[in-house]
Amino acid sequence: MSAVSQDTAVNTGRITRAFIYLLLLLFALFYLLPLYVMVVNSLKPLSEVTGGNMMALPQTWTLEAWKSAWSTAQIGVSPTGLEPYFLNSILMVVPAVALSTVIGALNGYVLTKWRFRFDTIVFGLMLFSCFIPFQIVLIPMAMVLGKLGLAGTVPGLVLVHVVYGIGFTTLYYRNYYATFPTELVRAAQIDGAGFFRIFWRILLPISGPITVVSVIWQFTNIWNDFLFGVSFGGTSQPMTAALNNLVQSSTGVKEYNVHFAGAIIAALPTLFVYIVAGRYFVRGLMAGSVKG
Amino acid sequence: MASSAEADFRTRIQDWLPKIVLAPSFAVTLLFVYGFILFTVFLSFTGSKMLPNYTLVGWENYSKLWALENWHIAIVNIGIFASLYIVICTVLGLMLAIFLDQKIRGEGVLRPIYLYPMALSFIVTGTAWKWFLDPGIGLEHVMHLWGWESFSFTWIKDNNMAIYTIVLAAVWQTSGFVMAMFLAGLRGIDNEILKAAQIDGASSFQLYRRIVIPMLRPAFLSSFVILSHLAIKSYDLVIALTGGGPGRATEMPATFMYSYTFTRNQMGIGAASAVIMLMTIAAIMVPYLYAELKEKQ
C-alpha cells in the first residue's frame, strides 16, 4: 500500500489532531482485536482458554491446537482434521481461478475491440449476473449438478465458481481494455494479424496488472465462499464448510483453541495474498464496485 | 478460384471468431443465470416439497410465505440489520476516511489494518466474534477477571439483542472497505476548490459539510449499493455467528430460504423467498447498473 498523502487544505488545531490520532488508534485496536484473540488463544492449551483470560498471553505456549485442527479434529463424522478440506479448497480454487480469468480476458477483449450490435446488452446481462443473490440459483444448480454426476465433487464446485465468476472477470478486463487504443488493434488487423494473434501479441503483454487484480479477486472470493461449498460440496467440502462443521459440532467438549487455530488456517491463504499484494486487492474491490 | 474461396472463408471465420469466442460465456450466463432464475420463479408457483413437483398451485406459496412467523422474523431482522449495517458502515467509513486524510503520520500502517478483515471469509469472522462475544469465555468473562464484576454482555445469547451482534461483526468486516472508497473519493477532490473556500472564510466543519461531503456523492451511492447487496445476501455470517439463533431470533431471508428448501422440504416456499430476495436486489442494482452503462457510452 503506498502512503501517498495529498495536501489537504484543512488546517486543524493541536487538540483536534490529538483527538484524531486517538480515535484512529482506537479503531486500529478494534480491527486488530479479533485477530489478536484468535492467534493468542490458538497457542494456549484448552484449560487456559476456558479457565483463564482470553486477552492474556499464553502461560504455556503450545502448537497442539494447530496440530489438532490440521490433522485430528473431528469434522462432521470423521476425525480427519482440516487437512483434506484444505486440499479440496486448493483443488477447487486453482482451476476455477485460472479458467474464469482466461475466459474473462477473452470476453473483455471481444467486448471492447470487436464490438458488435447489442454488445452492451450482452455485457449488461453478464454484469447483472454478478449481483444476483445466489439463493435464486441454488435449486436448479443442485438438480443440474446431480444430472451431470458432479454433485458433491470438486469438479462440480469448479464449474459453479467458473460460471458465476466470469461476470466479474469480464467486467475487469472489459474496463481495462477499454482504455487501450483501438487504433492499434485496427492497424494490426490491416497488417494481416488475426483475432488470436492480436490478443496474444498486443493485448496480453499489457494485461499484467489487471490479471493480478482478477486473480486475487477470484481467489479471495472462491476461497471464502461458503454457500456453494456447503450446498454442493457433499463429501468434497471446501475449507469454509469444514471450519463451520468444526466450530458448530455439538458433541463433546468445545475446543475453543482448536476452533481458533482452524479459523486462522482457513484465513491464512487470503491473508497472505492481502499482505503481499494488498494494493491490487484494494484495486479489485474498487473496480468491481465503484464503476461498472 | 480455390485459393480465393479459401481466403474468403478465412475472412469470414475471422469475422465470426469474436462472436464464437464470446458465445459460450453468453450461453452459460443465459442458461445458468437467467434460465435458472426463470426455473426458480416457476418452482415458486408449484407444489414442490422435498423434490421438484410440476403441478401449479398459483400464488399459494407466496401467501403461505407471508403468513409464516419465521418469514416475518426474517423480514424484521433484515430490516434492522440492513439499515444499521449500512448507516454505521457509511458513517464510520466516512469518518475514518476524513480523519485519515488529515496528513496522518502512519497512514500506510493504519489503512491496511482497517481493511484486512475484508480479506477474511465471513465464516472466520463469525467464529472469531462468536467466541469473543460468548459470555462464558469472551468479553464478559474478561471484564469479570479484570475486576468489573457487574459487567454484563450477553447479547449473543439474548433473543432481542442477538441481531445486533451480527451488525457488529458485519461492520467490523466491511467498514474498512467503505473507508477505502471514501478515501479514494476524497483524494480525487481538487484542492484548489477547498483552498478557495477557505480563503472565503469557511471553517473546517463547514468546508466538509457544504463542499466535501456533497462532492462524495458517487462514493455514497456505490457504498450504499454494495452494502445493501451484501446485507441481503448475508448467509455465512449468520450461520457462523449465531446459526440463526438463539431459537430463530436471527433468522434472515437467506437462512430462511436455505432451511425451507433443503432441510424442511418446503421447496416451493423456499423458491418463493428466493424470488423475493432477487426482486429486492434487482430493484437496487438494475437502475444503478443501467445508469453506469449508459454513462459509459
Side-chain angles (χ1 to χ4, degrees):
Chain A
M1 309 213 104
S2 64
V4 223
S5 123
Q6 263 191 17
D7 275 0
T8 339
V10 183
N11 297 313
T12 37
R14 253 215 167 129
I15 298 169
T16 325
R17 282 192 78 75
F19 173 75
I20 290 175
Y21 271 102
L22 184 70
L23 243 144
L24 288 175
L25 283 176
L26 278 178
F27 273 100
L29 282 182
F30 169 67
Y31 290 112
L32 285 174
L33 190 63
L35 186 65
Y36 169 80
V37 166
M38 281 200 283
V39 173
V40 163
N41 288 286
S42 74
L43 296 168
K44 291 177 187 172
L46 184 60
S47 60
E48 247 186 78
V49 183
T50 47
N53 187 332
M54 198 176 230
M55 306 297 267
L57 288 172
Q59 283 160 345
T60 344
W61 296 76
T62 167
L63 280 173
E64 278 315 305
W66 283 70
K67 280 184 203 147
S68 164
W70 181 250
S71 52
T72 59
Q74 184 86 12
I75 313 281
V77 288
S78 43
T80 56
L82 291 167
E83 185 185 356
Y85 302 95
F86 195 88
L87 295 180
N88 282 344
S89 274
I90 301 256
L91 289 175
M92 166 185 82
V93 161
V94 173
V97 170
L99 282 171
S100 57
T101 299
V102 170
I103 295 172
L106 284 169
N107 289 347
Y109 169 51
V110 172
L111 286 168
T112 51
K113 303 299 165 216
W114 301 86
R115 302 195 56 174
F116 51 91
R117 271 183 79 183
F118 306 125
D119 60 353
T120 314
I121 295 176
V122 170
F123 177 63
L125 286 171
M126 293 183 71
L127 184 60
F128 179 68
S129 74
C130 303
F131 299 100
I132 56 168
F134 290 127
Q135 280 79 11
I136 197 83
V137 298
L138 281 186
I139 304 171
M141 196 72 207
M143 293 164 67
V144 167
L145 287 176
K147 285 252 161 62
L148 293 175
L150 291 175
T153 66
V154 170
L157 287 173
V158 171
L159 173 75
V160 174
H161 285 298
V162 171
V163 165
Y164 299 108
I166 52 179
F168 261 115
T169 55
T170 301
L171 166 72
Y172 286 146
Y173 281 96
R174 176 187 174 271
N175 288 353
Y176 188 76
Y177 289 153
T179 59
F180 183 80
T182 307
E183 294 76 35
L184 288 179
V185 174
R186 294 289 159 260
Q189 223 184 332
I190 290 163
D191 291 344
F195 176 82
F196 284 111
R197 206 182 156 80
I198 294 174
F199 179 68
W200 193 255
R201 287 294 181 79
I202 301 180
L203 272 304
L204 210 55
I206 56 138
S207 304
I210 199 64
T211 303
V212 178
V213 167
S214 169
V215 165
I216 289 179
W217 170 268
Q218 285 298 90
F219 175 79
T220 314
N221 262 3
I222 299 174
W223 185 275
N224 287 343
D225 161 74
F226 175 70
L227 183 62
F228 287 146
V230 81
S231 307
F232 310 132
T235 50
S236 323
Q237 286 194 331
M239 195 60 187
T240 46
L243 173 63
N244 190 54
N245 266 339
L246 169 70
V247 177
Q248 310 289 351
S249 72
S250 46
T251 50
V253 192
K254 283 214 182 310
E255 295 185 292
Y256 302 107
N257 53 348
V258 176
H259 299 175
F260 284 129
I264 301 172
I265 294 172
L268 272 181
T270 49
L271 268 185
F272 175 75
V273 166
Y274 177 69
I275 289 165
V276 298
R279 195 161 15 117
Y280 290 98
F281 176 78
V282 177
R283 212 188 287 175
L285 279 174
M286 302 285 210
S289 47
V290 179
K291 279 278 150 192
Chain B
M1 277 311 275
S3 71
S4 97
E6 196 184 301
D8 195 39
F9 177 71
R10 283 188 57 181
T11 24
R12 207 155 337 137
I13 288 280
Q14 281 294 334
D15 283 348
W16 277 96
L17 212 46
K19 284 169 198 158
I20 295 169
V21 166
L22 189 64
S25 303
F26 187 54
V28 159
T29 306
L30 280 185
L31 175 70
F32 284 81
V33 178
Y34 298 95
F36 281 10
I37 289 176
L38 288 179
F39 185 77
T40 306
V41 171
F42 169 71
L43 278 184
S44 74
F45 291 104
T46 67
S48 304
K49 299 288 181 209
M50 191 174 114
L51 295 167
N53 160 332
Y54 304 121
T55 46
L56 287 170
V57 296
W59 293 93
E60 197 183 301
N61 289 322
Y62 289 89
S63 53
K64 272 191 193 156
L65 175 69
W66 286 100
L68 279 172
E69 171 78 18
N70 273 348
W71 179 248
H72 282 246
I73 297 174
I75 293 292
V76 171
N77 278 339
I78 188 75
I80 297 175
F81 171 69
S83 46
L84 282 177
Y85 169 63
I86 294 171
V87 169
I88 297 175
C89 274
T90 309
V91 171
L92 196 62
L94 180 64
M95 184 189 85
L96 291 175
I98 289 178
F99 285 173
L100 264 190
D101 199 33
Q102 310 301 323
K103 283 184 264 175
I104 291 301
R105 220 171 292 163
E107 188 203 323
V109 179
L110 289 171
R111 228 171 3 154
I113 292 177
Y114 293 169
L115 202 60
Y116 88 89
M118 201 63 192
L120 304 180
S121 136
F122 276 117
I123 299 293
V124 172
T125 301
T127 305
W129 282 97
K130 183 189 179 74
W131 297 141
F132 182 71
L133 296 175
D134 190 279
I137 61 160
L139 187 62
E140 184 179 297
H141 185 62
V142 169
M143 288 301 174
H144 291 176
L145 289 176
W146 281 349
W148 188 355
E149 300 285 344
S150 60
F151 181 86
S152 166
F153 192 78
T154 54
W155 283 11
I156 200 161
K157 303 277 186 200
D158 181 335
N159 280 350
N160 297 317
M161 302 308 278
I163 187 75
Y164 301 105
T165 62
I166 298 180
V167 176
L168 177 63
V171 165
W172 178 79
Q173 173 128 359
T174 31
S175 48
F177 168 49
V178 179
M179 180 280 299
M181 286 205 297
F182 280 121
L183 195 58
L186 285 171
R187 297 278 152 88
I189 291 176
D190 188 357
N191 265 324
E192 296 307 310
I193 302 173
L194 302 185
K195 285 194 179 122
Q198 245 183 357
I199 291 164
D200 287 347
S203 72
S204 310
F205 180 72
Q206 278 176 328
L207 194 69
Y208 274 100
R209 207 177 66 118
R210 297 278 172 82
I211 301 173
V212 176
I213 292 177
M215 285 177 83
L216 290 175
R217 234 181 61 172
F220 274 101
L221 182 64
S222 336
S223 62
F224 171 77
V225 168
I226 293 156
L227 292 172
S228 51
H229 164 247
L230 280 175
I232 296 168
K233 279 169 68 162
S234 58
Y235 174 72
D236 333 18
L237 185 61
V238 183
I239 292 296
L241 193 61
T242 64
R248 302 244 60 83
T250 49
E251 185 86 275
M252 295 259 208
T255 56
F256 177 97
M257 185 274 164
Y258 197 90
S259 65
Y260 271 74
T261 308
F262 296 112
T263 56
R264 293 187 181 214
N265 299 332
Q266 295 283 350
M267 193 179 278
I269 294 179
S273 67
V275 171
I276 290 171
M277 288 174 68
L278 176 74
M279 308 269 261
T280 317
I281 288 188
I284 299 166
M285 292 310 299
V286 170
Y288 176 74
L289 295 177
Y290 182 75
E292 293 272 308
L293 281 179
K294 198 106 197 228
E295 199 181 300
K296 288 255 153 176
Q297 288 209 316

